[in-house]
Amino acid sequence: MLAIGFGLVTASVLAIAAVGLTLQVGVTNLVNFAFADFLTLGAYLAWSMNVGWHLNFWLAAALASLGVGVVAVAANILVIRPFLRRRTPLVFLLIVTIGLSLILGNLNLAIWGSGYRSFDLPNQQPFHVGPMQFTSDQFLIIGISIAAMLGIRLLLSRTRLGKAMRSMSDSVELARASGIDTDRVTHVVWMLSGTLAGLAGVVLALNLTTFDTGLGANILFVIFAAMILGGVGSPSGAILAAVVLGLATEVSAVVVNSAYKNDIAFLALVAVLLIRPQGIVRMAGKN
Amino acid sequence: MDQLGYYLATLVVYFFIYNILVWGLNMQFGVAGILDFTYITFFAIGAYTAGVLTAGPASATNQHYILGLSWPFLVAMVVAALVAAVAGLALGGVALRRLRSDYLAIVMVSVGTIVFDLIANNPNLFNGNDGLGGVPSPFNDILQLDPNTYLYFFVAFSGVIMVGLGLLSHRLTSSPLGRAMRAMREDLEVAEAFGKNSVRIRLIAMMIGCAYAAIGGALLIAFISAISPSGWLPPETFVIFAALLIGGRANTLGSVLGALLIPVIFVEATRFLPKSPSNPELGAALRNVAIGALIIASLWFRPQGLLPERRWRWKGPLPARGGQGIPDA
């Protein structure tokens, strides 16, 4: 039962990251290999503000997440959009995002070094919910994740901006033809994706209690697995997949060596790609 | 002077090994268009396989590794190439069959992470994070050379292998097989419509590239007699990508130029960057920032690379519009 509790926390972290990635990939149709470095950057920005400037942890977390959002928008404007405008083929665009990942990831390493860090937080009280046990932070992580997911849900279903995003996810050309300012929506999507990545990085670091510059890269393929399992471009699918993978990885850690627990996510990824590449939640008009 | 000679000879061996590595990636990505984002994994498979085949039994050392058969190097190198090719076949057999290039790239990166964790966390396989050491120098049990003379012998030895693989790679690229690979890179469906079996041909490119990576790895472990996980971190794949992209894809000499410019001259020069005691990783981190910037800049300013692929051109008079003998509609 403890494992199920851990699984829910992992799922919460994963859901934030996977929704951030799937929104961006759905709208821009480009897999972003620098996404892991967004997570790491978020955790370190929050750490610098929390430990370096003695800011309240939650304020630091919010500012860091927004900071990563700004970095993501800048990465799109400075690097990715020029290549897209030139109609660079997909394989080279993927290499461009790898280049971006090398730059961002190694800037993280150059600035913050390779040592382990942890946030400055008051001592934790263990929390009991039925047979499951959480620290108060883990409980907060679940709460933040649910709030973020509800926010995204409302944004996508109730606002004009959200509808514009969904229509771009179906077809950019049609969206542009019907008068949607696709450039503006793309900026918003990168901002949203970067912010969610930053937030996911902070709560991931919080859950692990100590972290280093490998933070994001270590779980990148689990995030990819959640995105693909849920169907690219589908936030609700990504959430469902995050719950499945979060529980699967943590429960499997009871049986196998926990160093290999993320490999379960990889098996799920390969199985989905071979059997059902469109994901478990089928999107109308997406293949 | 002798020290300079020693240093330069070492660089030459690295240059030869990187030539082989870039040619292998060129076969996969430059010629066949396969995004092998975990190329360095096959290099590592080759290095470890050659290492445990040529080394003596592990019980004689304070390391833990499998096999330890004391095989002659050349046999071990061939087996290493075969093992990597089979690994490439297994991965390609799953990933190349039906995946778009972005999903393929995701699978590649994931496999790389998993193999890395498996080798680093498993001390009984190849001595885990401490790395495999004490691998014997090829032929030196017979030659009995002093280290300096042996170095020059190794320059010649790796040079012979390098030239052989270079000629082979050049022949393959311009062969009918290579043409089919290039056609598939440009348009998979058109090539299939002409009756080419895309899965089979791309798997061949994958296997050849993996074998080249493994031979490079085998030569490296024979040369420096050790390898550890920190020697083949994931970014190393992109150092080779950078060399290929900057030198020029699908051009044998472009690969040589790229190998000389990026892994040899550039990486070697950044070794002399000032070191910071507070952040020992600073040099390597800044080097990789520059590699990332170089990749993006080269794709922007010179996407075809310094020595572009030679395109076959029609020398005779141009056919009439609409094709030969077919009138315009």
Side-chain angles (χ1 to χ4, degrees), chain A residues 12-272:
Chain A
S12 304
V13 175
L14 200 51
I16 302 176
V19 167
L21 183 64
T22 209
L23 280 176
Q24 177 254 307
V25 177
V27 170
T28 63
N29 221 347
L30 172 66
V31 173
N32 172 20
F33 282 93
F35 195 77
D37 308 294
F38 289 171
L39 263 78
T40 313
L41 178 64
Y44 275 97
L45 282 178
W47 179 83
S48 277
M49 287 188 257
N50 173 231
V51 176
W53 305 348
H54 307 291
L55 229 57
N56 171 284
F57 173 75
W58 298 106
L59 182 62
L63 289 176
S65 307
L66 291 173
V68 179
V70 172
V71 169
V73 173
N76 178 46
I77 293 176
L78 296 176
V79 181
I80 291 169
R81 195 172 61 168
F83 279 100
L84 280 171
R85 290 219 165 133
R86 222 191 227 186
R87 302 196 172 274
T88 302
L90 177 67
V91 283
F92 295 108
L93 285 172
L94 294 172
I95 296 176
V96 167
T97 74
I98 287 277
L100 208 54
S101 164
L102 282 173
I103 294 175
L104 275 176
N106 286 289
L107 278 179
N108 286 338
L109 185 58
I111 295 170
W112 284 288
S114 56
Y116 279 87
R117 312 277 182 218
S118 44
F119 293 118
D120 182 14
L121 283 165
N123 282 335
Q124 295 295 302
Q125 302 297 323
F127 227 90
H128 289 273
V129 180
M132 294 179 280
Q133 185 185 327
F134 300 103
T135 64
S136 43
D137 284 345
Q138 289 177 322
F139 209 64
L140 268 170
I141 292 172
I142 298 178
I144 289 172
S145 180
I146 292 173
M149 298 303 103
L150 283 176
I152 297 290
R153 172 94 212 164
L154 287 176
L155 173 75
L156 287 176
S157 59
R158 296 293 164 84
T159 65
R160 285 178 67 86
L161 182 67
K163 284 180 188 160
M165 283 185 200
R166 276 156 55 208
S167 69
M168 273 185 73
S169 181
D170 280 346
S171 163
V172 177
E173 283 78 26
L174 276 181
R176 194 178 294 131
S178 42
I180 292 170
D181 182 350
T182 51
D183 264 2
R184 199 182 121 247
V185 177
T186 306
H187 291 327
V188 174
V189 166
W190 278 97
M191 181 75 207
L192 202 57
S193 166
T195 305
L196 287 171
L199 182 63
V202 176
V203 291
L204 176 64
L206 183 62
N207 187 31
L208 295 174
T209 66
T210 62
F211 62 99
D212 68 354
T213 45
L215 181 77
N218 290 339
I219 70 151
L220 179 65
F221 70 90
V222 187
I223 303 173
F224 279 142
M227 172 181 78
I228 292 169
L229 192 61
V232 175
S234 157
S236 46
I239 295 170
L240 186 60
V243 173
V244 171
L245 289 177
L247 289 175
T249 52
E250 293 299 337
V251 172
S252 72
V254 178
V255 194
V256 299
N257 182 340
S258 66
Y260 306 125
K261 67 180 180 184
N262 286 343
D263 297 0
I264 301 291
F266 171 73
L267 291 179
L269 170 75
V270 170
V272 170

Side-chain angles (χ1 to χ4, degrees), chain B residues 87-230:
Chain B
L89 178 68
L91 176 56
V94 174
L96 286 175
R97 206 158 279 274
R98 47 198 288 188
L99 296 185
R100 266 175 41 178
S101 52
D102 40 3
Y103 291 173
L104 175 70
I106 288 175
V107 171
M108 294 287 188
V109 169
S110 310
V111 167
T113 314
I114 286 171
V115 173
F116 187 90
D117 285 347
L118 200 69
I119 291 179
N121 293 332
N122 210 328
N124 292 323
L125 202 54
F126 303 117
N127 211 29
N129 257 321
D130 294 337
L132 197 61
V135 176
S137 306
F139 310 113
N140 212 21
D141 47 345
I142 312 163
L143 294 170
Q144 304 283 350
L145 297 171
D146 67 285
N148 268 315
T149 326
Y150 182 77
L151 177 63
Y152 294 109
F153 163 76
F154 202 94
V155 169
F157 170 64
S158 54
V160 169
I161 293 181
M162 187 271 296
V163 170
L165 289 174
L167 291 174
L168 178 67
S169 158
H170 193 69
R171 280 295 292 274
L172 281 171
T173 310
S174 45
S175 71
L177 181 69
R179 279 205 301 277
M181 287 174 187
R182 282 184 282 168
M184 258 156 224
R185 176 194 65 193
E186 299 299 322
D187 195 322
L188 207 59
E189 269 125 43
V190 169
E192 279 177 345
F194 276 87
K196 297 290 178 192
N197 181 341
S198 73
V199 173
R200 192 173 142 262
I201 289 176
R202 275 151 51 99
L203 278 178
I204 293 174
M206 184 76 193
M207 290 171 73
I208 295 172
C210 291
Y212 270 61
I215 292 173
L219 282 173
L220 187 83
I221 200 170
F223 182 54
I224 61 176
S225 77
I227 189 170
S228 71
S230 62

Side-chain angles (χ1 to χ4, degrees), chain B residues 314 316-328:
Chain B
W314 179 256
L318 286 173
R321 258 188 88 203
Q324 274 172 318
I326 303 166
D328 283 345

